[in-house]
Amino acid sequence: MASRQVFLNYLKVADLKRELEERECETTGKKADLQNRLKEALENEDENPNTYLFEIAGDINSTLQSLIENGSKMQQKLEETSGNLRGMEQKLVENSSNLRGMEQNLRGMEQKLIENMDQKLLEKKIATLSLGSGEQQQVVNTALKSPGSDIDRLSKPELNNYMEISKIRMETTTAAARANGWSLAEKATALMLALRGDATDILQTLSLEEQDDYHQLVKHLEMRYGQSHLEHVYHSQLKNRYQKSNESLQEFEADIVRLVRLAYSSTPENVMERLAVQAFLDGLRDTETRQALNLARPSKLVDAFGASFGIRSR
């Protein structure tokens, strides 16, 4: 059996008693008493208790068993810690899911709040209008207080583009107006009730007389949101339309045709054709192809489109 050297503080009770017996000292008492008694004995032997090394028998199997036991305890603690971490991870996932649900609820509440604010803003604007006759006032009251009426249906769509304006105007001037026998002023009131979003801001730019004038109201709406307004946008898009680096000739030519028809919808076909050819030539990415086509001066877009393939294949 191998031996090992240890300091006094590392001696077990059995080792302390053995050392005391060898020195014919008393061996009763607690471990602290035994340690103090052994220190005194060492000092009497002119030895330093703090540096003195004791030879004790070493049991390798016992040491290994102790290490194994300590390793098992550490493994058990690690497993417990791992289980706790998994539990925390699960809670985090659940909390994340709850947060997503709360976020969706908040978005829904926000949308409802915006809708309520829009409705209150509309009612406030309508309340400030000069309504004129009592019959016109009755039209407004019917629209605001009678769900399901013709005007109530007109008050729901949002007028933000020309198609919506045309739809509301048609509904107002045909079905609802004819069924209720509205005057132009009453039709103007119904149209104002149909405005939503940015379209309601146009009321701030109109005089009281223009607000009561159905034709003036439609005119101002078309100026801002109608086709004449959009044509300026399409003109600008066509003027600045150039073939993209990853865009094929077919895609580029198709978009030129689309923009020309939108920007010059009332232009004769022959003029529209020349405009399309010029826009196609100006926007070509390949300089050599553009120069060659400008020299060839094709009169039709289909000719310019076909020639561009021939030039590129040379």
Side-chain angles (χ1 to χ4, degrees):
M1 183 179 294
S3 63
R4 56 195 178 96
Q5 293 181 328
V6 297
F7 292 108
L8 187 149
N9 290 336
Y10 292 97
L11 292 176
K12 297 180 180 180
V13 173
D15 297 326
L16 290 169
K17 288 183 177 182
R18 186 182 64 252
E19 293 292 334
L20 288 170
E21 286 178 355
E22 291 178 358
R23 291 170 174 78
E24 298 180 353
C25 297
E26 186 179 352
T27 59
T28 60
K30 297 181 179 180
K31 184 176 182 179
D33 297 331
L34 299 176
Q35 288 176 332
N36 291 331
R37 200 172 297 141
L38 185 55
K39 285 181 181 180
E40 292 177 0
L42 290 173
E43 290 173 351
N44 292 333
E45 296 173 0
D46 294 329
E47 297 289 350
N48 186 347
N50 297 323
T51 59
Y52 188 83
L53 291 173
F54 295 88
E55 291 284 342
I56 61 174
D59 188 350
I60 296 178
N61 292 332
S62 176
T63 303
L64 290 175
Q65 183 64 29
S66 177
L67 290 173
I68 292 172
E69 291 176 356
N70 291 336
S72 299
K73 292 179 180 179
M74 291 178 64
Q75 183 178 2
Q76 184 178 0
K77 289 183 179 180
L78 286 174
E79 290 176 353
E80 292 176 357
T81 303
S82 178
N84 293 335
L85 289 175
R86 284 194 294 269
M88 292 173 63
E89 181 181 6
Q90 181 64 29
K91 289 183 179 180
L92 286 174
V93 172
E94 293 175 357
N95 291 336
S96 178
S97 178
N98 293 335
L99 287 174
R100 284 194 294 269
M102 293 173 62
E103 182 180 5
Q104 292 177 354
N105 292 336
L106 287 174
R107 288 179 179 174
M109 294 171 62
E110 181 183 10
Q111 182 62 32
K112 290 182 180 179
L113 181 61
I114 292 174
E115 292 175 356
N116 291 336
M117 290 178 63
D118 286 344
Q119 182 62 27
K120 290 181 179 179
L121 179 62
L122 176 63
E123 293 177 4
K124 182 178 179 181
K125 288 185 177 181
I126 294 299
T128 61
L129 297 176
S130 176
L131 298 174
S133 66
E135 293 180 356
Q136 194 171 356
Q137 178 67 57
Q138 186 177 2
V139 171
V140 175
N141 293 337
T142 302
L144 294 177
K145 298 180 181 180
S146 301
S149 65
D150 290 333
I151 307 178
D152 180 66
R153 287 194 295 272
L154 288 175
S155 67
K156 292 178 181 178
E158 295 186 0
L159 289 186
N160 288 321
N161 57 49
Y162 177 74
M163 293 181 64
E164 290 175 326
I165 292 172
S166 300
K167 179 182 177 182
I168 296 299
R169 182 176 60 179
M170 183 179 298
E171 291 178 355
T172 305
T173 56
T174 55
R178 186 166 52 250
N180 295 280
W182 291 341
S183 65
L184 288 177
E186 290 168 340
K187 286 193 288 185
T189 301
L191 183 55
M192 284 188 289
L193 289 171
L195 301 179
R196 290 291 187 276
D198 295 340
T200 58
D201 294 337
I202 200 170
L203 299 177
Q204 303 293 339
T205 66
L206 302 179
S207 65
L208 297 178
E209 291 77 10
E210 289 175 323
Q211 291 172 6
D212 287 338
D213 190 327
Y214 173 75
H215 296 298
Q216 283 293 325
L217 182 57
V218 170
K219 177 182 177 181
H220 283 280
L221 286 170
E222 287 184 336
M223 286 175 60
R224 179 173 296 188
Y225 301 104
Q227 185 65 25
S228 59
H229 167 75
L230 294 177
E231 284 182 355
H232 293 293
V233 176
Y234 295 133
H235 286 165
S236 177
Q237 291 180 359
L238 182 63
K239 182 179 179 180
N240 296 284
R241 185 63 170 92
Y242 298 97
Q243 185 184 10
K244 301 173 184 177
S245 59
N246 59 345
E247 187 177 30
S248 66
L249 282 173
Q250 293 93 328
E251 294 171 336
F252 178 59
E253 184 266 348
D255 198 43
I256 289 295
V257 173
R258 180 185 68 86
L259 289 174
V260 168
R261 292 198 172 277
L262 290 172
Y264 300 97
S265 58
S266 59
T267 304
E269 284 292 332
N270 59 335
V271 177
M272 194 181 300
E273 186 74 30
R274 289 198 299 270
L275 292 170
V277 171
Q278 191 59 51
F280 180 77
L281 298 183
D282 292 342
L284 283 173
R285 186 176 70 254
D286 186 74
T287 304
E288 181 181 352
T289 303
R290 184 171 62 252
Q291 291 175 348
L293 288 176
N294 279 322
L295 292 175
R297 295 184 179 181
S299 59
K300 294 184 178 181
L301 182 59
V302 64
D303 297 333
F305 178 64
S308 63
F309 276 100
I311 295 171
R312 293 182 61 182
S313 62
R314 292 176 184 175

